[in-house]
Amino acid sequence: MNPSSKRILSIDVARGLVMLLMTVDHVRETFFLQHQVSDPMDVAATSPGLFFSRLAAHFCAPMFVFLTGLSAWLYAHPPGGARPAGGFLARRGLFLVLLEIVAVNFAWTGTFAPATVYLQVIWAIGLAMLALALLHRLPLAVLAALGLAIVGGHNALAGVAFEPGSAAAHAWTVLEQRGFLTDGAPRVKVSYPVLAWIGVILLGYACGPLYARAMAPSLRQRRLLLAGAACLALLAVLRTWNVYGEPLPWRAQDDALHTAMAWLNFTKYPPSLDFLLLTLGCGLPVLAWLERADNAFTRACGVFGGAPLFYYLLHLYALLAMQRLAAALLGAERVDLMYVWEVWVLAAGLAAALYWPTRAFGRYKRESGKGWVKYL
């Protein structure tokens, strides 16, 4: 922990790693859109480079939502004693929902009146925070049990359906069934059904005491490692025998690489149990390891993780400007990259260019004492 800022650096570093992987995926969506990926990805039609680039991005939302829950516990339990958190969580959640509808949709479409309004990850995090605002006073054991039940059980609800156009159908679209809420102008599409993400944020909040000052770092790291190992062990059983947790069964392919791709091909919208077991199962041990990692790269990641929403908005608007500028200079409607490695190089260059403004804002956020900046 940084004694001057009271921030837990390993959480910032983990969040920063997530933001960098997210940048790669958003560069892909901006400049590599001619190579579409489906959900789940079509192993037969997706190159290994594109497949594993997309797979790397799968770790972003689960870890970010988990860390959001964990950070909410830390906000509610500062060193001076517990404080009310419901109001902050509710205001932050509503702010994120509004931000998705206005600022994020404009960043993706370049217009304030798009034909389709997409409700994506920021919206889902906002709704998950609203749910946490209502539930966070429950005993941690109850929150953990509820989170596990949602994450582990929501796949069993895949066959549930309601009369199209009914209030129940709209509610189910928001919770579990990805689709359109309206067909008029503009159309509103739920890209991130929120139910599973509520489960993840509850689990993150329930794990908050791992970062209490009374918890020995070695014990915390051991528990994170054990939790990650348990997730991966359960995944190995469920996925290998196609038992439960993923609507798309895997089958052996023509070679070992494509067989591995088929095994790792999980559903993200909504996130299947297997999807969350993989991403959290790998992410929790990384979170433990980051407590012992201190180098230039992890310090840079900590900068991005210290002001994640600011960086999120900044990189989206930078991508919009880059795409429009490239199209204007080359006289094309859109400009696309040719190779997957170019996506990674451009993402690295973009992150490097945005490092300094993100660091400056992060410093301002810590030192200004102004209440509004905590929302960014």
Side-chain angles (χ1 to χ4, degrees), residues 39-40 235 239 246 263-268 272 274-275 278:
D39 174 46
L235 172 65
R239 185 57 167 164
E246 172 54 50
W263 197 93
L264 291 166
N265 193 14
F266 302 127
T267 301
K268 183 178 181 180
S272 67
D274 286 1
F275 179 98
L278 173 71

Side-chain angles (χ1 to χ4, degrees), residues 3-370:
S4 63
S5 66
K6 308 303 182 185
R7 297 187 68 90
I8 297 176
L9 296 182
S10 60
I11 294 177
D12 279 349
V13 175
R15 194 182 283 119
L17 276 172
V18 163
M19 303 308 288
L20 293 179
L21 289 174
M22 173 205 68
T23 303
V24 174
D25 200 49
H26 289 174
V27 168
R28 177 193 63 79
E29 292 193 58
T30 303
F31 290 102
F32 211 65
L33 199 58
Q34 76 277 21
H35 296 284
Q36 291 278 7
V37 296
S38 61
D39 174 46
M41 291 176 278
D42 185 348
V43 173
T46 306
S47 69
L50 181 55
F51 179 91
F52 286 104
S53 293
R54 177 62 172 162
L55 181 66
H58 281 351
F59 291 85
C60 298
M63 283 305 297
F64 195 91
V65 175
F66 180 87
L67 293 173
T68 298
L70 199 158
S71 298
W73 186 91
L74 292 170
Y75 176 87
H77 299 84
R83 62 182 171 185
F88 170 74
L89 291 170
R91 289 190 298 272
R92 181 71 184 273
L94 290 171
F95 173 69
L96 291 177
V97 171
L98 179 63
L99 199 68
E100 178 76 79
I101 295 171
V102 179
V104 175
N105 268 273
F106 180 84
W108 281 114
T109 64
T111 175
F112 283 114
T116 302
V117 174
Y118 292 96
L119 303 178
Q120 301 189 85
V121 65
I122 298 299
W123 175 84
I125 295 172
L127 288 188
M129 293 189 78
L130 289 173
L132 184 60
L134 294 173
L135 298 172
H136 75 283
R137 289 185 178 275
L138 293 174
L140 287 181
V142 174
L143 291 178
L146 182 57
L148 288 172
I150 293 173
V151 168
H154 81 98
N155 278 114
L157 304 174
V160 175
F162 298 93
E163 181 181 352
S166 66
H170 290 323
W172 197 237
T173 299
V174 170
L175 288 171
E176 184 68 10
Q177 186 65 55
R178 189 186 198 200
F180 287 93
L181 286 177
T182 65
D183 291 324
R187 304 176 80 194
V188 178
K189 182 176 182 180
V190 175
S191 295
Y192 273 73
V194 74
L195 180 59
W197 301 116
I198 293 174
V200 174
I201 203 170
L202 293 179
L203 291 177
Y205 192 90
C207 288
L210 289 175
Y211 287 84
R213 292 201 165 199
M215 176 67 66
S218 60
L219 179 58
R220 172 173 59 247
Q221 293 162 23
R222 186 160 60 250
R223 290 183 176 177
L224 289 172
L225 290 170
L226 288 173
C231 287
L232 295 177
L234 180 58
L235 172 65
V237 173
L238 295 179
R239 185 57 167 164
T240 299
W241 286 278
N242 288 320
V243 177
Y244 171 79
E246 172 54 50
L248 181 71
W250 73 280
R251 296 178 179 84
Q253 304 295 308
D254 293 337
D255 55 61
L257 177 59
H258 285 84
T259 296
M261 290 166 60
W263 197 93
L264 291 166
N265 193 14
F266 302 127
T267 301
K268 183 178 181 180
Y269 309 106
S272 67
L273 171 60
D274 286 1
F275 179 98
L276 293 173
L277 289 174
L278 173 71
T279 52
L280 295 177
C282 293
L284 295 180
V286 170
L287 186 58
W289 173 76
L290 287 174
E291 291 194 45
R292 303 188 297 273
D294 183 17
N295 53 58
F297 177 70
T298 57
R299 289 192 291 273
C301 288
V303 168
F304 295 114
L309 186 54
F310 175 83
Y311 175 76
Y312 181 86
L313 294 172
L314 186 62
H315 96 282
L316 285 184
Y317 279 86
L319 281 172
L320 175 64
M322 290 165 62
Q323 199 279 329
R324 294 294 176 87
L325 179 61
L329 292 176
L330 298 177
E333 183 176 347
R334 58 174 295 113
V335 178
D336 294 307
L337 301 172
M338 296 300 296
Y339 305 102
V340 175
W341 65 264
E342 294 176 313
V343 172
W344 286 83
V345 170
L346 182 56
L350 176 61
L354 300 182
Y355 171 84
W356 297 107
T358 304
R359 191 177 81 158
F361 181 83
R363 183 174 296 168
Y364 174 77
K365 179 179 177 180
R366 292 189 298 273
E367 297 175 357
S368 70
K370 295 184 177 179

